[in-house]
Amino acid sequence: MAANLTGMTSPSWASHLLHRLAPPPLLLVQAFVNTLDLDLHTDVLAHADEARAWLADAGLRDPEQPDLAADLRLAREIRESLRAMIGRNTGGPPLTEAELRPLRQVTTDAVPRLEVAAGGQVTLGTGDGPGRLADGLAGLLLTIRDAQADGSWDRMKLCGNPDCLWAFYDRSHSRQGAWCDMASCGNRLKNRSLRARRAQAG
Ligand SMILES: [Zn+2]
C-alpha cells in the first residue's frame, strides 16, 4: 500500500512507511532505517533477493555489483548506526565504537565530490544513479548532513516504545511527539505502565 502525503504518492521503496513520513530526501534515510521492523519481526535486508531488489529500487546499490553478502552485512550495521544517530534526537546515548566503525568504513570508502547544477546550486554528491553500496550509504550521510544544517534532522525521532524503535518524523508544532503511532505504541506503553502501577499498588 502506498502512503499518501500532501497528495504525493510515496515511492515504492517507502511503501512500508504508512505515516509520519519525513520529507524527501530525508524520507530515504527513514525508509532505510525502518527496513527492520522490530514489532513485526520482519527485515527487508535479511533475504538476499528482497534486499538486492530494495537497495536497487532505492538507488543505493547497483544490483549487478559483486559481494552482496558483505554489502548486506554493512547495510545492516549502518542501519543500526543511523538508528543510534536518530536516537540522539530523543535523548539516546552517544554512538558507541561499534556504531561508529561501519560509519567510518563508509566515509573512508566513498568518494563524494562537489557538483554544480545548471541553476548554480553547489552540492556534494556521490555520482549519478546506483553504484557501489558505500557510495549509496555515503549519500544517506550527505542527506543527514544537509538535514542537520537546515534543522529538519531534529524532527527525526525513534519511537519511545523500546520494542518498536521505529524512525518517525515529528511534524508537530511543539516537537513533543514520542510515538511512531499513538494507537499502536503510545497507548500500549501507557497501558503497560498503568498496569505496572496497579500491580505495585496491589
Ligand atoms: Zn512505535
Side-chain angles (χ1 to χ4, degrees), residues 19 39 158-168 178-182 184-186 188-189:
H19 48 237
D39 197 32
L158 291 188
C159 178
N161 177 357
D163 297 330
C164 175
L165 299 180
W166 192 257
F168 70 94
W179 316 106
C180 71
D181 179 64
M182 198 57 192
S184 67
C185 280
R188 196 192 301 176
L189 263 278

Side-chain angles (χ1 to χ4, degrees), residues 68-86:
L68 178 65
D71 274 359
L72 291 187
R73 259 197 314 277
L74 176 65
R76 288 194 296 264
E77 286 177 354
I78 289 289
R79 183 173 60 188
E80 292 322 298
S81 302
L82 298 186
R83 195 186 310 279
M85 287 171 71
I86 296 171

